[in-house]
Every structure is written in C-alpha cells, then in structure tokens.
Amino acid sequence: MSTLTVTGLCKSYAAGVPVLDGVDLHVPSGSFTALLGPSGCGKTTLLRLIAGFDDPDDGTVVVGDRTVAGGPGRSVAARSRGIGFVPQEGGLFPHLTVAGNISFGLPRRQRREGSRVRELLGLVGLDAALADRSPHQLSGGQQQRVALARALAPAPSLVLLDEPFSSLDATLREETRLAVSAALDAIGATAVLVTHDQAEALSMADQVAVLRHGRLVQLTDPRTLYRNPQDLDVATFVGEAVVLDADVRAGTAHCALGAVPVDGSHPDGRARVLLRPEQLRLSAPGTEPGSVVARIGGVDFFGHDARVRLVLPGAGTVSARLVGADLPSTGEEVAVTVLGSAQAFPPSAADDVPHPALSA
C-alpha cells in the first residue's frame, strides 16, 4: 500500500465559489483516515479529486511516489491510478452475480479460477456460498461488503470509501463497519473514508481530518480531536459539548458549574469553556463540596446510557451523560460536580456584556 499526499488542492464550481481552498493532507501508508465535516464542506469533492473523477483547479495529488493530479493536462486517468473506490450505495452491477461483481476488474485467468473471489469473500466476512447470488438477494450490509471486495480485488494502492454505511440501519451499520475495518486491517490497506458521522470517524480512523468551508481545520488522532479540538466549532461538531461563558483567573474557570481547572495556559479574563457531558456527575444536594444545584429538565433514555438535561440558574440548559440506571426524575434538584478539567477558548464577538454566571 502507498502513502497519499495532497498539497494545496483547490476546486471551484459554479460562479467561482471555492469548494476546496488549499487543502493539505498526508495519509501514511497502511493507515486509515476519516474525512469528517458537515454537508457541503468539500469532503466528497476531495475524494473525487483523489480518485480521478474530476480534476483540481490547483494543487497536487501524489499516491506513493507518483503524481496523479497536478494541474491542467497532468492528471492520470481514474482507471490508471491503482485506487479502489467504494461508493455510497455499493454500486454493484445488478446483472452480475456476486462473483461477477468482485472479479469484474481482474484479469481473465483470475476470473476463471475463482480463487481470488473466494479469498476476498472470506476477507470481508462473507460465506463463499454467496458467490452465485445476485445483488438483490443480499442484505444491505452484504452488498457493501461485496462492494469492498470488488474494490480490493485488483490489489489497489489506496482504497476510498464514500459514506458506505449511511443507508444501513444502526445494528447492520455497526456490524458492517467492524467487518470492513477488519478486512482493511488484514491487508494493511491505506484507506480514506468520507463520513459525516462523528462516532464512525472516531471509532474507525487512525487520524481524522476535519473540513470546514473547503479548508482542512484539524488533522489529528481521534482522542486528541475529541479532547483537544482546534476551536469551539470543531468541539461542538465532534461529539456533544457543554459550552459555558466563564471568567478565567489563575488557571481556573469560574462559570455556572463552579470553579473548574483549565487545561493548558489561558490568559486571565473572559472565555468560553468546553466540557463533555460525561464529565458531569450528579448527586444529592449538599453531599458534594463545590457542587452547584441544578434542576432536571428531562431525561432521554437510550438503554446503555442516558442524556440528562440540566437547567442551571442563569445559564440555560446543559446535558450530562450517565449510565442507564438509577436516573433522576424530571423536576428533581441535583448537585452537579465536574470531573477533570475544561478547555478555554476566546470569548465570541457577541459576548459584550457580563454573563450572570460570572458575577461570583
């Protein structure tokens, strides 16, 4: 497998509006990178430029030591790039069997032997008995695995996946995601996944590239992205967030949740602080020193855990994440304490009056 290096990639469509604006991205050989961002941020355009389905206006795409796109007249055709592509809906040929789909891009001898098809079905976790079935006889998850097997059949140097799990239900999505990850790991594939699902990106990828308005705003491993986002926009996009106005003094943020230590160095003064819902702990009022009292505004039960909405005096509603047992009731008063530290960011431009929570 090969590295992927994208440098200064730009692309505009109608009216000259930039879809990608100077994107730099490096994907190490054998690693898995997720492209994450809201709709319209340029994720799919970036994937299409890497695949060769479109040409960039500027910048280069290098796979291994081979420049496959680098300005007008220098693009290598998509079929000659040695890249496997798994589209959103699988894109299987309905008139071909599973075996016919997987072997479509193989030399004639390998298609006749059938050994490569059996090998790939086993790799993606499917029974060899499915080889003679038509795509419509498979479940959605099975179809996506066949699409991956087809992409892997010619032994590509890079595999691109364009939201391949988005049409699957939750259980099938997780099962298929695990099977795809295992198959890619087994061959040490270099892979790039486009997704708008934060959990998908954080659980599958070695590194996550966050795109916003056509620019790459952060590229890092999943834990760093979640715990140390570049800014509040990234923080609120990647997972649930508790964001509060605060006054930072000597490394402590004074906010509606009390005095909370701040990660790193932040100048004294007004700030916006970030906590994650799982950092909030609830107890009976008066039992935890330094806690603040909140009222339960509602509970959303998910089985394995629950989201508890907390109404804080003068600061609106924030969310806590708790295990799905011994949950409080709506209207009940609880004490709220914070586990760990917060991240502090500059105040927003709209914060031009003191917040009631900062009066302490």
Side-chain angles (χ1 to χ4, degrees), residues 3-315:
T3 59
L4 167 68
T5 304
V6 170
T7 306
L9 213 60
C10 297
K11 184 67 180 178
S12 297
Y13 290 119
V17 177
V19 179
L20 293 176
D21 187 8
V23 172
D24 296 331
L25 173 67
H26 180 70
V27 179
S29 177
S31 70
F32 194 122
T33 295
L35 302 179
L36 180 65
S39 296
C41 71
K43 305 184 301 292
T44 296
T45 297
L46 177 54
L47 207 71
R48 288 178 57 82
L49 296 179
I50 295 169
F53 301 151
D54 208 345
D55 294 326
D57 298 332
D58 199 6
T60 60
V61 177
V62 179
V63 179
D65 57 1
R66 184 186 186 204
T67 299
V68 296
R74 293 187 57 192
S75 287
V76 174
R79 65 181 178 276
S80 302
R81 293 193 180 191
I83 293 175
F85 190 84
V86 182
Q88 190 168 355
E89 299 295 337
L92 299 181
F93 302 119
H95 61 289
L96 296 180
T97 63
V98 166
N101 269 279
I102 294 174
S103 62
F104 182 79
L106 293 177
R108 185 173 300 174
R109 180 181 57 80
Q110 285 185 297
R111 291 203 301 268
R112 285 199 306 266
E113 289 176 354
S115 58
R116 181 66 172 155
V117 170
R118 291 191 296 274
E119 175 190 344
L120 287 162
L121 283 172
L123 181 66
V124 298
L126 293 177
D127 195 308
L130 297 177
D132 294 326
R133 291 192 185 181
S134 298
H136 73 270
Q137 296 175 305
L138 305 178
S139 70
Q142 289 172 328
Q143 289 182 30
Q144 286 304 108
R145 296 194 208 184
V146 172
L148 175 64
R150 182 178 63 186
L152 295 177
S157 57
L158 175 67
V159 180
L160 306 178
L161 304 101
D162 187 10
E163 301 198 51
F165 316 115
S166 59
S167 62
L168 306 179
D169 63 52
T171 301
L172 193 55
R173 185 183 185 115
E174 177 65 16
E175 177 186 312
T176 306
R177 192 162 63 193
L178 291 172
V180 167
S181 289
L184 294 171
D185 284 344
I187 60 171
T190 306
V192 179
L193 166 75
V194 161
T195 182
H196 62 269
D197 186 315
Q198 297 90 341
E200 195 166 275
L202 295 176
S203 64
M204 291 185 72
D206 300 306
Q207 63 175 7
V208 181
V210 181
L211 292 170
R212 184 170 66 219
H213 304 310
R215 291 180 174 270
L216 180 61
V217 293
Q218 190 165 6
L219 174 64
T220 188
D221 65 275
R223 291 188 182 186
T224 300
L225 180 66
Y226 186 76
R227 295 172 179 171
N228 300 103
Q230 180 77 19
D231 53 39
L232 277 176
D233 283 342
V234 173
T236 54
F237 183 74
V238 182
E240 293 183 75
V242 175
V243 180
L244 296 168
D245 294 317
D247 182 19
V248 176
R249 298 193 295 269
T252 299
H254 300 269
C255 63
L257 287 171
V260 182
V262 172
D263 277 339
S265 60
H266 190 280
D268 286 357
R270 296 172 62 203
R272 300 273 278 168
V273 292
L274 165 72
L275 295 162
R276 295 298 184 182
E278 61 270 19
Q279 290 183 255
L280 306 189
R281 292 292 181 265
L282 309 186
S283 58
T287 59
E288 290 290 339
S291 62
V292 299
V293 175
R295 179 175 55 82
I296 303 298
V299 178
D300 301 318
F301 181 69
F302 303 118
H304 50 77
D305 71 347
R307 181 192 297 116
V308 179
R309 299 190 294 279
L310 303 170
V311 181
L312 295 170

